[in-house]
Amino acid sequence: MAGLALEGPNPDVDVLDGINGLAKDAPHWVNKAMEYIGEYGIIAGLAVLCLIAWWSARRNPGAPAAVAGLVWAPLAAGIALLANIPIRSFVERPRPFKEHAGLEVLIPGKSDFSFVSDHATLTMAVGVGLFIAHRKFGLIGILLALAEGFCRVYMGVHYPTDVVGGFALGTAVALLLAPLAQALLVPVTTAIAGSKLAWLVCAPGAGAGAGQDGEGSRVVATGSAVRGGHKERDKDLAA
């Protein structure tokens, strides 16, 4: 299959030329920085963000469920990348620099197909997965994914629609499979919370409150009810 070829004016190519044109006018050091950021840096930044989110989640009430949600983010990325394999083989869209001369290609030599972008798929799946578990970290992750998409077009290795397709695929996998993933992962993280590896799920000193949040809430509610009953009894005696 030729892969998303359009007759006449092609907005996809126009946007590609506009964004990639920035690389033609940029200093060499800027392009080298964009090359490393777009190929490795943003993915490494998302990995660090996931670790920070995990470290924070271990200190929260209901830690097993929170950690399960964070574990889903990288798992969603892996599943989305696997789903992309047959898509790329079916569409068979060549890289833009193979069909359009004059592009400033920062990473030459890529021979695989272009649609959809693995980098865009991976980063958006992680970003949306984080957003499901934690809004603040998720928003940061989604912004990093958007930056990744810009970098892939800037570097001349993807069309804008390759990036948009990757965003759609990563988002779909992270959202649609999240309920099933949570149902499967929460029992696992809960079991870990009661084992010698509890530190992976609950921070030391917070484990009891996190692991027994529901029970603790019931205890507090029961205590409040008892105290309320005592006050009512004292009022009746005084009357």
Side-chain angles (χ1 to χ4, degrees):
M1 186 174 178
L4 303 180
L6 297 175
E7 297 294 336
N10 191 337
D12 203 18
V13 176
D14 293 340
V15 175
L16 167 66
D17 288 338
I19 295 177
N20 182 252
L22 299 174
K24 297 177 183 178
D25 301 327
H28 176 72
W29 67 268
V30 172
N31 285 343
K32 291 300 292 184
M34 291 292 286
E35 174 186 339
Y36 286 107
I37 291 171
E39 193 73 3
Y40 311 108
I42 291 178
I43 293 177
L46 280 171
V48 172
L49 184 65
C50 287
L51 288 175
I52 294 172
W54 162 73
W55 191 262
S56 174
R58 292 163 61 245
R59 289 167 162 74
N60 293 337
V67 171
L70 294 172
V71 170
W72 169 235
L75 289 180
I79 294 173
L81 290 177
L82 289 175
N84 191 27
I85 294 174
I87 295 174
R88 297 185 88 161
S89 299
F90 177 75
V91 177
E92 294 184 345
R93 187 184 202 181
R95 295 279 182 170
F97 54 79
K98 293 186 176 182
E99 295 191 330
H100 302 282
L103 292 177
E104 184 72 18
V105 184
L106 302 189
I107 304 182
K110 287 185 176 289
S111 58
D112 55 341
F113 295 121
S114 187
F115 185 88
V116 296
S117 166
D118 276 339
H119 281 71
T121 301
L122 183 154
T123 53
M124 187 56 75
V126 172
V128 173
L130 283 174
F131 185 80
I132 294 172
H134 194 290
R135 297 293 184 265
K136 181 179 73 175
F137 291 122
L139 285 174
I140 297 172
I142 290 173
L143 289 175
L144 288 174
L146 294 174
E148 179 67 46
F150 177 84
C151 288
R152 303 310 288 177
V153 179
Y154 180 97
M155 294 158 62
V157 295
H158 280 293
Y159 294 96
T161 48
D162 298 336
V163 170
V164 173
F167 288 164
L169 177 59
T171 300
V173 170
L175 284 179
L176 296 179
L177 298 182
L180 175 61
Q182 195 75 355
L184 295 174
L185 290 171
V186 169
V188 175
T189 54
T190 302
I192 293 174
S195 70
K196 294 181 179 179
L197 297 176
W199 62 272
L200 289 171
V201 176
C202 303
Q212 301 173 0
D213 184 55
E215 184 64 26
S217 298
R218 287 193 295 272
V219 170
V220 171
T222 302
S224 299
V226 170
R227 287 192 297 270
H230 287 169
K231 289 179 180 179
E232 293 297 327
R233 185 190 64 186
D234 292 341
K235 289 180 180 178
D236 291 340
L237 291 176

